[in-house]
Amino acid sequence: MFMLNDTQMKPTVFLLTGIPGQEAMNLWISILFFSMYVISMLGNSVILFIIKTDLTLHEPMYIFLSMLALTDLCLSISTMPTILGIFWFNSREISINACFIQLFFIHSLSFIESSVLLSMAFDRYVAICNPLRYASVLTTPRIVRMGLAFMVRGVGLIFPLPFLLKRFQYCRDNVLSHSYCLHQEVMKLACSDITVNSIYGLFVIVSTVGVDSLLILLSYMMILRAVLSIASREERFKALNTCVSHVCAVLLFYTPMIGLSMIHRFGGSSSPLVQILMGYVYLLVPPLMNPIVYSVKTKQIRARIARVFFR
């Protein structure tokens, strides 16, 4: 009897969830998600290939773009296998250790992407507000150090979470509401005191997404002030046009991420379907749309793609 109760207290698997009530549409939904996965993988791979092979694109702006593409690529690889496994094979079970590993990569990569978006905002700030110092400020060694700092911050802040979750007893229903594992969801299944996890999770969100988004907003306020001081209307438009792609990437990333975090923490009465759809938007749309937006809006990337595919 003790062994049975101990097994119930510590389940060996969690159950992932697709889209409840839409089981009859699983085939079509899987085709949609697989198409998004292929396009995001192909798009980000093309961005990386073009920047690596074209020496004229070895500039700070494009190096940061390659960091963004690499992060999106890894984020897609971390999430899509479990999503497609549900819709293709009804494979809902995920072991506790695999779940902890997945949430570690999802959260680490998300915070690394937030750091990259902040660095891209800094790149635009220096290029527009201090163009004469651009080459001396954003040197290659400095960019490399920034990239390493992003990785250390993202990995270092998330590293304790799997160990904090592993110490819990899980005596509640072991069904997750997403097709992948997130810290804020897994900790709610514990029958132990989750105060430490909740406070630490809030600290991580505020110190990464909160700080980064505020700094990005501040950088664009300073950019806007500098642009408005330019006498020529054509030059003002040209300067702002270099920021459009980055603004789109920021909105695509932060809007669903902040929305999903708010729903998990304060939206107890919100519809489960809204939470599930917001989760898919948060992880699937930015890796899909970022290469498309940058390919369309960045003249150099667009021209290089045209030369590669339409020789």
Side-chain angles (χ1 to χ4, degrees):
M1 186 65 179
F2 176 79
M3 292 294 292
L4 178 61
N5 288 338
D6 186 63
T7 302
Q8 290 174 346
M9 290 290 287
K10 299 186 72 173
T12 57
V13 297
F14 289 120
L15 297 179
L16 302 172
T17 302
I19 303 180
Q22 303 297 321
E23 287 77 9
M25 298 290 293
N26 274 3
L27 176 60
W28 298 107
I29 295 172
S30 69
I31 292 174
L32 172 64
F33 284 165
F34 181 70
S35 300
M36 295 173 68
Y37 179 55
V38 170
I39 294 171
S40 64
M41 293 289 287
L42 181 62
N44 287 295
S45 298
V46 167
I47 293 289
L48 287 170
F49 172 77
I50 286 174
I51 293 174
K52 184 179 185 301
T53 56
D54 193 336
L55 296 180
T56 63
L57 299 181
H58 291 186
E59 298 177 2
M61 174 182 173
Y62 301 106
I63 295 174
F64 288 130
L65 177 55
S66 66
M67 292 181 185
L68 182 66
L70 182 60
T71 306
D72 282 338
L73 204 61
C74 295
L75 198 55
S76 295
I77 293 171
S78 300
T79 56
M80 195 57 76
T82 55
I83 294 175
L84 292 178
I86 291 174
F87 290 102
W88 279 351
F89 311 111
N90 196 30
S91 176
R92 297 180 57 201
E93 293 187 355
I94 183 171
S95 70
I96 287 183
N97 289 333
C99 185
F100 293 163
I101 292 171
Q102 185 182 46
L103 70 84
F104 169 78
F105 280 106
I106 288 175
H107 290 301
S108 296
L109 290 167
S110 295
F111 296 142
I112 290 172
E113 180 154 346
S114 178
S115 301
V116 173
L117 290 172
L118 174 60
S119 67
M120 296 174 84
F122 178 67
D123 169 82
R124 290 299 85 207
Y125 163 75
V126 176
I128 293 174
C129 300
N130 295 284
L132 297 180
R133 297 186 58 198
Y134 184 78
S136 61
V137 171
L138 290 170
T139 60
T140 301
R142 186 168 292 168
I143 293 172
V144 171
R145 289 195 296 269
M146 289 171 68
L148 292 174
F150 302 158
M151 188 175 300
V152 170
R153 185 180 80 153
V155 172
L157 287 173
I158 300 303
F159 187 76
L161 290 185
F163 299 99
L164 290 174
L165 291 171
K166 201 172 182 65
R167 65 193 175 94
F168 288 149
Q169 297 286 341
Y170 295 94
C171 57
R172 299 178 185 174
D173 187 9
N174 63 336
V175 179
L176 302 172
S177 62
H178 293 293
S179 305
Y180 44 83
C181 295
L182 295 175
H183 168 255
Q184 56 266 41
E185 252 208 305
V186 173
M187 73 175 181
K188 292 179 181 178
L189 300 182
C191 58
S192 312
D193 183 9
I194 62 171
T195 303
V196 173
N197 282 62
S198 184
I199 293 175
Y200 184 72
L202 184 61
F203 163 76
V204 170
I205 286 288
V206 171
S207 62
T208 53
V209 176
V211 172
D212 292 352
S213 57
L214 286 176
L215 290 175
I216 290 172
L217 179 61
L218 177 63
S219 69
Y220 271 102
M221 290 173 62
M222 299 175 72
I223 287 172
L224 188 59
R225 186 178 67 177
V227 168
L228 292 177
S229 66
I230 300 175
S232 170
R233 181 178 178 181
E234 182 180 349
E235 290 299 319
R236 287 202 300 267
F237 176 79
K238 184 179 179 180
L240 289 175
N241 194 48
T242 63
C243 301
V244 171
S245 300
H246 180 253
V247 171
C248 291
V250 167
L251 293 176
L252 286 169
F253 177 77
Y254 285 108
T255 303
M257 185 181 193
I258 294 174
L260 183 63
S261 181
M262 295 294 288
I263 288 174
H264 273 296
R265 290 186 176 275
F266 310 111
S269 59
S270 63
S271 168
L273 185 60
V274 172
Q275 187 179 112
I276 291 169
L277 293 178
M278 184 72 77
Y280 285 128
V281 171
Y282 157 53
L283 286 180
L284 302 184
V285 172
L288 171 73
M289 294 303 300
N290 284 340
I292 296 175
V293 170
Y294 274 95
S295 298
V296 171
K297 292 298 298 178
T298 308
K299 181 180 178 181
Q300 292 86 341
I301 297 288
R302 188 172 65 246
R304 188 70 176 88
I305 291 174
R307 287 202 302 270
V308 169
F309 290 100
F310 306 103
R311 291 181 178 177

